[in-house]
């Protein structure tokens, strides 16, 4: 029994230490592992001399991670991260659940920042550009940027076999606008929706319905935002003004205003059409009733006289209502007799009323 206790005690003392070292080593190994999706352009040969370097990114305003190869090729590294995400590698759990992808980039955007900063007032060669704040600027300009690609944003002068570059703002805006328009055309061909409101492709009738709902300025705005992700903020604002692209809030307000005017115009036209339809129906019903034998067109002269007298009566009543003071000051007029009343009065001449036979004569 004593031996068993001793062995147990030794095991208890030794076991916590042994797993702890394994656990720490496993955690360190899994923490260093990262998931990369590398383009085939960077893996063309077996050497695979790939490096991770940091260069200044003008759109982000700080140094970011790039992948280089043989001091000739450069690609941007995009990071996709979500909270509470991890990887299962074999039988281990990698706590770093980020995904890194290499994407191609036009290195002219990276050189644009340095040319605006150092070559705006005078022409300089790429070898003479040195930035104390960014020590990697000389390596970027001399190794990864072809000098011929800088003609679209700078004026090139040759002296003694060396090339000197001076930043040209007009050329830069023309080049950026051309890039933006090409990006807008690419978005259209890819069928990417660029409208204001959210549209689900699961509930659209066809792919054309999504494209028709967005305007030309919407594609230019989205393309300008993509290009502006590689530019400084002031240059991005100048590009939007150069292309006459309204802001998203202004575009939404203009769209709402246009929709309200169209709805008002449609409602007015609808009410007008309804009124015309009602009038046409009434005229058609009157014409049918007139053509039928239900109405007698032959009227007597007495009926015409009665209608005229009734009109005169209504006019007199209206005048009395409008001017009551005049009616009080002037004496009342006798009501004109109608044709029937005149004929009855004429036929009653020389006759006596029934009441005259019942009246008693006063004694003489």
């Amino acid at each position: 029994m004593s031996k068993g206790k001793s062995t147990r005690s030794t095991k208890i003392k030794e076991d916590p230490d042994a797993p702890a070292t394994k656990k720490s080593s496993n955690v360190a190994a899994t923490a260093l592992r990262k998931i990369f999706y590398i383009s085939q352009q960077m893996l063309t040969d077996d050497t695979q001399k790939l490096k991770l370097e940091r260069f200044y990114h003008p759109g982000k305003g700080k140094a970011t991670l790039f992948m280089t190869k043989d001091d000739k090729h450069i690609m941007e590294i995009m990071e996709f991260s979500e909270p509470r995400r991890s990887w299962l590698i074999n039988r281990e759990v990698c706590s770093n659940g980020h995904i890194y992808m290499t994407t191609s980039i036009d290195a002219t955007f990276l050189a644009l920042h340095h040319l605006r900063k150092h070559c705006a007032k005078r022409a300089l060669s790429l070898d003479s550009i040195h930035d104390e704040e960014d020590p990697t600027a000389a390596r970027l300009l001399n190794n990864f940027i072809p000098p011929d690609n800088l003609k679209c944003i700078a004026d090139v002068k040759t002296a003694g076999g060396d090339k000197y570059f001076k930043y040209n703002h007009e050329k830069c805006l023309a080049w950026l606008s051309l890039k933006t328009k090409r990006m807008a055309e690419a978005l259209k061909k890819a069928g990417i929706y660029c409208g204001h409101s959210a549209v689900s492709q699961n509930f659209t009738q066809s792919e054309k319905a999504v494209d028709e709902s967005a305007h030309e300025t919407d594609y230019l705005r989205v393309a300008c935002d993509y290009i502006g992700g590689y530019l400084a903020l002031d240059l991005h604002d100048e590009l939007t003004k150069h292309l006459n692209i309204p802001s998203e809030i202004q575009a939404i307000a203009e769209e709402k205003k246009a929709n309200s005017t169209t709805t008002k115009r449609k409602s007015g036209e609808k009410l007008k059409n309804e009124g015309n339809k009602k009038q046409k129906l009434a005229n058609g019903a009157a014409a049918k009733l007139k053509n039928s034998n239900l109405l007698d067109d032959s009227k007597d002269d007495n009926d015409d006289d009665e209608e005229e007298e009734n009109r005169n009566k209504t006019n007199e009543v209206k005048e009395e209502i409008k001017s009551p003071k005049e009616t009080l000051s002037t004496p009342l007029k006798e009501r004109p007799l109608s044709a029937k009343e005149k004929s009855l009065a004429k036929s009653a001449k020389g006759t006596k009323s029934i009441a005259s036979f019942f009246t008693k004569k006063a004694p003489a």
Side-chain angles (χ1 to χ4, degrees), residues 51 90-91 152 162 237 247 250 252 255 264 297:
K51 293 182 181 180
N90 297 328
R91 294 183 179 180
C152 56
D162 297 331
D237 295 337
S247 62
Q250 185 179 357
I252 292 171
E255 187 175 357
K264 287 180 181 179
D297 294 336

Side-chain angles (χ1 to χ4, degrees), residues 77 213 218 266 272 274 276 281 295 329:
I77 295 178
S213 60
D218 296 332
K266 288 180 181 179
K272 188 176 180 181
E274 288 179 356
N276 293 332
L281 291 172
L295 294 177
S329 60

Side-chain angles (χ1 to χ4, degrees), residues 32-88:
L32 293 174
R33 294 181 180 179
K34 296 181 181 180
I35 306 300
F36 268 87
Y37 288 93
I38 302 175
S39 175
Q40 292 182 356
Q41 296 178 4
M42 307 294 284
L43 301 174
T44 53
D45 52 3
D46 298 334
T47 58
Q48 297 183 5
K49 294 179 180 179
L50 305 178
K51 293 182 181 180
L52 294 177
E53 301 184 51
R54 290 187 178 273
F55 298 105
Y56 183 82
H57 196 293
K60 298 179 181 179
K62 61 180 182 179
T64 57
L65 202 62
F66 292 87
M67 182 174 283
T68 61
K69 179 186 176 181
D70 298 333
D71 294 339
K72 294 180 180 180
H73 306 285
I74 184 171
M75 279 195 172
E76 183 183 5
I77 295 178
M78 305 295 293
E79 181 181 0
F80 176 76
S81 61
E82 285 185 352
R84 298 169 183 166
R85 176 183 286 272
S86 58
W87 288 99
L88 295 174

